[in-house]
Amino acid sequence: MILSGKARLAGVIGWPISHSKSPRLHGYWLEKLGIDGAYLPLAIEPENFEDALRGLMYSGFGGVNVTVPHKEAALKFCDEVDPLAKRIGAVNTIVFKDGRSYGSNTDAFGFIENLRQDVENTDFSLDFSLDFFGAKAVVLGAGGASRGVIVALQDAGVKNIILVNRTKERAEVLAADLSSGADGMITVADWKDRNEVLNGCDLLVNTTSLGMAGQPPLELSLDKLPKSCVVTDIVYAPLVTPLLGLAEKRGNKIVDGLGMLLHQARPGFEAWFGEKPEVTEDLRKFVLEG
Ligand code: ATR
């Protein structure tokens, strides 16, 4: 990579940041598209977050992605925040312009685009469809990632969202928070009932950390799950989680979580570097190898 004096700059802020795949992902697009620009990993401690953001803005950065643990602080920092990010309660993409900061959240977009691209690319007989309108979705987990997924489902027209979390109170807070003013009813179910609620489900999403490498497995029986249900996991290490492996074996359509990471990066890249990037099989391989 050779930069000119006019190079465009962006990056990702997190603490820690060394595990992030975003620099490799954006670096791939920059190289592929021959753009005079760079995207850097920026390890910033929480107490320095605001100073660092101002410093980057005054240094001419086009903006940054924001990851754990700064997403809520980013919402407070930005001069303007888009309504979707406000609903989710977190900002993951900031654009600097004329000394002002504009915050958005692209996780919901990434989640839906991943499902759309994967399901559209599948040559399957009419057993599956991804018509969200009026659908029933079961969402496991009520952490930060769950918020983006639920908002995405509401906006895609899902009418019946069953939210199941080990800590029920957390799910109730989330449901109350996201229900007001939005379509898509959220019903909270007990963690112990997670096998039963799969009856009649069109889409099953795991947003918990269960099944991730180094974490306990997700204990779930899919006996009640219709064969037509699409199953997706936001965990992408391993790419085929035990849940996805089990679902695939019994004939369900599965969508892995890597695509959500790749698609959520698209709007930021376009805003900072001025070109529309594509999510391809080659990109998936490249990011996984890193
Ligand atoms: P993220 O931002 O990735 O969603 P998080 O906010 O830490 O991370 O949320 C982790 C999710 O995984 C939560 O839904 C959590 O359930 P609790 O709210 O009960 O903590 C879920 N989770 C983590 N470990 C779990 C376990 N052993 N059993 C069931 N759920 C678990």
Side-chain angles (χ1 to χ4, degrees), residues 44 83 127 176 238 270 273 283:
I44 310 286
D127 291 349
E270 192 178 349
F273 300 113
L283 172 67

Side-chain angles (χ1 to χ4, degrees), residues 132-249:
F132 292 110
F133 205 78
K136 171 181 171 179
V138 172
V139 177
L140 305 173
S146 175
R147 299 181 72 95
V149 166
I150 289 180
V151 165
L153 295 177
Q154 286 177 320
D155 288 2
V158 173
K159 281 286 169 284
N160 183 7
I161 299 167
I162 313 289
L163 178 59
V164 197
N165 196 49
R166 174 182 59 177
T167 312
K168 194 176 183 188
E169 301 75 54
R170 204 173 176 197
E172 279 163 349
V173 169
L174 197 156
D177 218 25
L178 296 182
S179 290
S180 63
D183 289 341
M185 197 174 75
I186 307 170
T187 309
V188 174
D190 283 330
W191 184 244
K192 67 172 171 43
D193 295 333
R194 62 192 181 282
N195 300 331
E196 276 68 45
V197 297
L198 301 181
N199 207 348
C201 169
D202 302 299
L203 176 69
L204 169 63
V205 190
N206 175 46
T207 77
T208 74
S209 45
L210 298 173
M212 191 187 286
Q215 298 289 323
L218 168 64
E219 283 168 20
L220 190 69
S221 158
L222 301 185
D223 290 351
K224 296 253 163 65
L225 192 78
K227 290 275 166 30
S228 58
C229 181
V230 175
V231 180
T232 185
D233 201 324
I234 66 159
V235 170
Y236 58 82
L239 199 55
V240 179
T241 60
L243 168 67
L244 293 183
L246 180 64
E248 190 170 38
K249 223 188 213 163

